Short mmCIF file of all heavy atoms in Angstrom, two decimals:
data_model
loop_
_atom_site.label_atom_id
_atom_site.label_comp_id
_atom_site.label_asym_id
_atom_site.label_seq_id
_atom_site.Cartn_x
_atom_site.Cartn_y
_atom_site.Cartn_z
N TYR A 1 0.82 -1.21 0.00
CA TYR A 1 0.00 0.00 0.00
C TYR A 1 0.86 1.26 0.00
O TYR A 1 0.45 2.32 0.49
CB TYR A 1 -0.93 -0.01 1.22
CG TYR A 1 -0.22 -0.27 2.54
CD1 TYR A 1 0.32 0.78 3.29
CD2 TYR A 1 -0.06 -1.56 3.03
CE1 TYR A 1 0.98 0.56 4.49
CE2 TYR A 1 0.59 -1.80 4.22
CZ TYR A 1 1.11 -0.74 4.96
OH TYR A 1 1.76 -0.99 6.14
N ALA A 2 2.05 1.19 -0.59
CA ALA A 2 3.00 2.31 -0.57
C ALA A 2 2.40 3.60 -1.12
O ALA A 2 2.74 4.70 -0.65
CB ALA A 2 4.26 1.95 -1.36
N MET A 3 1.50 3.50 -2.10
CA MET A 3 0.90 4.69 -2.69
C MET A 3 0.14 5.52 -1.66
O MET A 3 0.01 6.74 -1.78
CB MET A 3 -0.04 4.30 -3.83
CG MET A 3 0.67 3.74 -5.05
SD MET A 3 1.71 4.99 -5.86
CE MET A 3 0.47 6.13 -6.44
N ARG A 4 -0.35 4.87 -0.62
CA ARG A 4 -1.13 5.58 0.40
C ARG A 4 -0.27 6.58 1.18
O ARG A 4 -0.78 7.58 1.69
CB ARG A 4 -1.77 4.59 1.38
CG ARG A 4 -2.97 3.85 0.82
CD ARG A 4 -3.77 3.23 1.94
NE ARG A 4 -4.24 4.23 2.88
CZ ARG A 4 -4.61 3.95 4.13
NH1 ARG A 4 -4.58 2.70 4.58
NH2 ARG A 4 -5.03 4.91 4.95
N TYR A 5 1.03 6.31 1.28
CA TYR A 5 1.91 7.22 2.01
C TYR A 5 1.86 8.63 1.41
O TYR A 5 1.74 9.62 2.13
CB TYR A 5 3.35 6.70 1.99
CG TYR A 5 3.69 5.75 3.11
CD1 TYR A 5 3.25 4.43 3.09
CD2 TYR A 5 4.46 6.16 4.19
CE1 TYR A 5 3.57 3.55 4.11
CE2 TYR A 5 4.79 5.29 5.23
CZ TYR A 5 4.33 3.98 5.17
OH TYR A 5 4.65 3.11 6.20
N GLY A 6 1.96 8.71 0.08
CA GLY A 6 1.91 10.00 -0.57
C GLY A 6 0.58 10.69 -0.37
O GLY A 6 0.52 11.91 -0.21
N GLU A 7 -0.49 9.90 -0.35
CA GLU A 7 -1.83 10.45 -0.15
C GLU A 7 -2.00 10.99 1.26
O GLU A 7 -2.67 12.00 1.48
CB GLU A 7 -2.87 9.37 -0.43
CG GLU A 7 -2.87 8.86 -1.87
CD GLU A 7 -3.75 7.64 -2.04
OE1 GLU A 7 -4.34 7.19 -1.03
OE2 GLU A 7 -3.83 7.12 -3.17
N VAL A 8 -1.39 10.30 2.23
CA VAL A 8 -1.52 10.70 3.63
C VAL A 8 -0.65 11.90 3.96
O VAL A 8 -1.10 12.86 4.61
CB VAL A 8 -1.16 9.52 4.57
CG1 VAL A 8 -1.06 10.00 6.03
CG2 VAL A 8 -2.19 8.41 4.45
N PHE A 9 0.61 11.89 3.50
CA PHE A 9 1.57 12.91 3.91
C PHE A 9 1.72 14.07 2.92
O PHE A 9 2.40 15.05 3.21
CB PHE A 9 2.94 12.27 4.16
CG PHE A 9 2.94 11.25 5.27
CD1 PHE A 9 3.01 9.90 4.99
CD2 PHE A 9 2.84 11.65 6.59
CE1 PHE A 9 3.01 8.96 6.02
CE2 PHE A 9 2.83 10.72 7.62
CZ PHE A 9 2.90 9.37 7.33
N HIS A 10 1.13 13.94 1.74
CA HIS A 10 1.15 15.02 0.75
C HIS A 10 2.56 15.48 0.39
O HIS A 10 2.85 16.68 0.31
CB HIS A 10 0.33 16.22 1.27
CG HIS A 10 -1.08 15.90 1.58
ND1 HIS A 10 -2.07 15.81 0.63
CD2 HIS A 10 -1.69 15.58 2.77
CE1 HIS A 10 -3.22 15.49 1.19
NE2 HIS A 10 -3.02 15.34 2.49
N CYS A 11 3.46 14.50 0.21
CA CYS A 11 4.82 14.81 -0.19
C CYS A 11 5.45 13.55 -0.80
O CYS A 11 4.92 12.44 -0.62
CB CYS A 11 5.65 15.29 1.00
SG CYS A 11 6.06 14.01 2.20
N PRO A 12 6.58 13.68 -1.51
CA PRO A 12 7.25 12.50 -2.05
C PRO A 12 7.75 11.60 -0.92
O PRO A 12 8.27 12.09 0.09
CB PRO A 12 8.42 13.10 -2.83
CG PRO A 12 8.02 14.52 -3.11
CD PRO A 12 7.21 14.95 -1.93
N VAL A 13 7.59 10.28 -1.10
CA VAL A 13 8.01 9.30 -0.08
C VAL A 13 8.84 8.22 -0.75
O VAL A 13 8.43 7.66 -1.78
CB VAL A 13 6.80 8.66 0.61
CG1 VAL A 13 7.27 7.67 1.68
CG2 VAL A 13 5.90 9.72 1.23
N SER A 14 10.03 7.92 -0.19
CA SER A 14 10.87 6.84 -0.70
C SER A 14 11.09 5.81 0.41
O SER A 14 11.06 6.15 1.60
CB SER A 14 12.21 7.38 -1.20
OG SER A 14 12.94 7.99 -0.14
N PHE A 15 11.31 4.56 0.02
CA PHE A 15 11.48 3.47 0.98
C PHE A 15 12.88 2.85 0.85
O PHE A 15 13.60 3.09 -0.11
CB PHE A 15 10.41 2.41 0.75
CG PHE A 15 9.01 2.90 1.00
CD1 PHE A 15 8.27 3.49 -0.03
CD2 PHE A 15 8.43 2.79 2.25
CE1 PHE A 15 6.98 3.96 0.20
CE2 PHE A 15 7.14 3.25 2.49
CZ PHE A 15 6.42 3.84 1.45
N GLY A 16 13.23 2.03 1.85
CA GLY A 16 14.52 1.35 1.84
C GLY A 16 15.68 2.25 2.21
O GLY A 16 16.84 1.95 1.88
N ALA A 17 15.41 3.34 2.92
CA ALA A 17 16.47 4.26 3.34
C ALA A 17 17.26 3.66 4.50
O ALA A 17 16.78 2.75 5.18
CB ALA A 17 15.86 5.60 3.74
N PRO A 18 18.46 4.16 4.77
CA PRO A 18 19.25 3.65 5.90
C PRO A 18 18.57 3.88 7.25
O PRO A 18 18.78 3.14 8.19
CB PRO A 18 20.56 4.44 5.81
CG PRO A 18 20.63 4.91 4.40
CD PRO A 18 19.21 5.15 3.98
N ARG A 19 17.74 4.91 7.32
CA ARG A 19 17.03 5.24 8.55
C ARG A 19 15.80 6.08 8.19
O ARG A 19 15.66 6.56 7.06
CB ARG A 19 17.92 6.02 9.52
CG ARG A 19 18.49 7.29 8.94
CD ARG A 19 19.46 7.96 9.89
NE ARG A 19 20.07 9.15 9.31
CZ ARG A 19 21.14 9.15 8.54
NH1 ARG A 19 21.74 8.00 8.26
NH2 ARG A 19 21.64 10.26 8.04
N HIS A 20 14.92 6.27 9.17
CA HIS A 20 13.74 7.11 8.94
C HIS A 20 14.15 8.58 9.06
O HIS A 20 14.69 8.99 10.10
CB HIS A 20 12.67 6.84 10.00
CG HIS A 20 12.24 5.41 10.10
ND1 HIS A 20 11.81 4.67 9.02
CD2 HIS A 20 12.16 4.57 11.16
CE1 HIS A 20 11.49 3.45 9.40
NE2 HIS A 20 11.69 3.36 10.69
N TRP A 21 13.91 9.38 8.03
CA TRP A 21 14.16 10.81 8.16
C TRP A 21 13.29 11.59 7.19
O TRP A 21 12.92 11.11 6.12
CB TRP A 21 15.64 11.15 7.98
CG TRP A 21 16.23 10.90 6.62
CD1 TRP A 21 16.56 9.70 6.07
CD2 TRP A 21 16.57 11.90 5.63
NE1 TRP A 21 17.08 9.87 4.81
CE2 TRP A 21 17.11 11.19 4.51
CE3 TRP A 21 16.48 13.29 5.59
CZ2 TRP A 21 17.55 11.85 3.37
CZ3 TRP A 21 16.91 13.95 4.45
CH2 TRP A 21 17.44 13.23 3.36
N PHE A 22 12.95 12.81 7.60
CA PHE A 22 12.05 13.66 6.84
C PHE A 22 12.64 15.07 6.77
O PHE A 22 13.34 15.50 7.67
CB PHE A 22 10.67 13.74 7.49
CG PHE A 22 10.26 12.48 8.18
CD1 PHE A 22 9.92 12.48 9.52
CD2 PHE A 22 10.23 11.27 7.50
CE1 PHE A 22 9.56 11.32 10.17
CE2 PHE A 22 9.87 10.10 8.12
CZ PHE A 22 9.52 10.12 9.47
N THR A 23 12.33 15.77 5.71
CA THR A 23 12.79 17.15 5.59
C THR A 23 11.58 18.08 5.67
O THR A 23 10.45 17.68 5.38
CB THR A 23 13.52 17.40 4.26
OG1 THR A 23 12.64 17.15 3.16
CG2 THR A 23 14.73 16.48 4.14
N PHE A 24 11.83 19.32 6.10
CA PHE A 24 10.77 20.31 6.21
C PHE A 24 11.36 21.70 6.03
O PHE A 24 12.58 21.89 6.09
CB PHE A 24 10.06 20.20 7.56
CG PHE A 24 10.93 20.56 8.74
CD1 PHE A 24 10.92 21.85 9.27
CD2 PHE A 24 11.78 19.61 9.33
CE1 PHE A 24 11.72 22.19 10.35
CE2 PHE A 24 12.58 19.94 10.40
CZ PHE A 24 12.56 21.24 10.92
N ASP A 25 10.51 22.66 5.82
CA ASP A 25 10.91 24.06 5.68
C ASP A 25 11.05 24.65 7.09
O ASP A 25 10.06 24.78 7.81
CB ASP A 25 9.85 24.83 4.89
CG ASP A 25 10.21 26.30 4.68
OD1 ASP A 25 11.20 26.75 5.28
OD2 ASP A 25 9.49 26.97 3.93
N PRO A 26 12.28 25.01 7.51
CA PRO A 26 12.47 25.51 8.88
C PRO A 26 11.72 26.80 9.19
O PRO A 26 11.51 27.13 10.36
CB PRO A 26 13.98 25.71 8.98
CG PRO A 26 14.46 25.81 7.56
CD PRO A 26 13.54 24.94 6.77
N SER A 27 11.27 27.51 8.16
CA SER A 27 10.51 28.74 8.42
C SER A 27 9.18 28.42 9.10
O SER A 27 8.58 29.31 9.73
CB SER A 27 10.26 29.51 7.12
OG SER A 27 9.40 28.77 6.25
N LEU A 28 8.74 27.16 9.00
CA LEU A 28 7.49 26.75 9.66
C LEU A 28 7.59 26.90 11.18
O LEU A 28 6.59 27.12 11.85
CB LEU A 28 7.15 25.30 9.30
CG LEU A 28 6.73 25.01 7.86
CD1 LEU A 28 6.53 23.51 7.68
CD2 LEU A 28 5.46 25.77 7.51
N LEU A 29 8.80 26.75 11.71
CA LEU A 29 8.99 26.81 13.17
C LEU A 29 8.65 28.19 13.73
O LEU A 29 8.27 28.31 14.89
CB LEU A 29 10.42 26.44 13.54
CG LEU A 29 10.86 25.01 13.21
CD1 LEU A 29 12.34 24.82 13.53
CD2 LEU A 29 10.02 24.00 13.99
N ASP A 30 8.80 29.23 12.90
CA ASP A 30 8.54 30.59 13.36
C ASP A 30 7.12 31.05 13.07
O ASP A 30 6.75 32.19 13.38
CB ASP A 30 9.52 31.57 12.69
CG ASP A 30 10.96 31.27 13.07
OD1 ASP A 30 11.19 30.94 14.26
OD2 ASP A 30 11.84 31.35 12.19
N LYS A 31 6.32 30.16 12.50
CA LYS A 31 4.96 30.53 12.12
C LYS A 31 4.10 30.82 13.35
O LYS A 31 4.05 30.03 14.29
CB LYS A 31 4.33 29.41 11.30
CG LYS A 31 2.93 29.73 10.80
CD LYS A 31 2.39 28.61 9.91
CE LYS A 31 0.99 28.93 9.43
NZ LYS A 31 0.46 27.87 8.52
#
């Protein structure tokens, strides 16, 4: 059900990475 990840998180998702990690826009922290 890998396609559901993109639908849930609204961003590109890749699998088989060395570890779990996500990127974000740091300007969101000051919102």
Side-chain angles (χ1 to χ4, degrees):
Y1 51 89
M3 291 295 294
R4 285 197 59 200
Y5 272 76
E7 297 171 359
V8 170
F9 297 106
H10 302 279
C11 71
V13 181
S14 62
F15 296 89
R19 57 185 177 275
H20 304 307
W21 65 285
F22 326 123
T23 62
F24 66 95
D25 181 351
S27 66
L28 291 176
L29 296 175
D30 297 321
K31 183 176 180 179

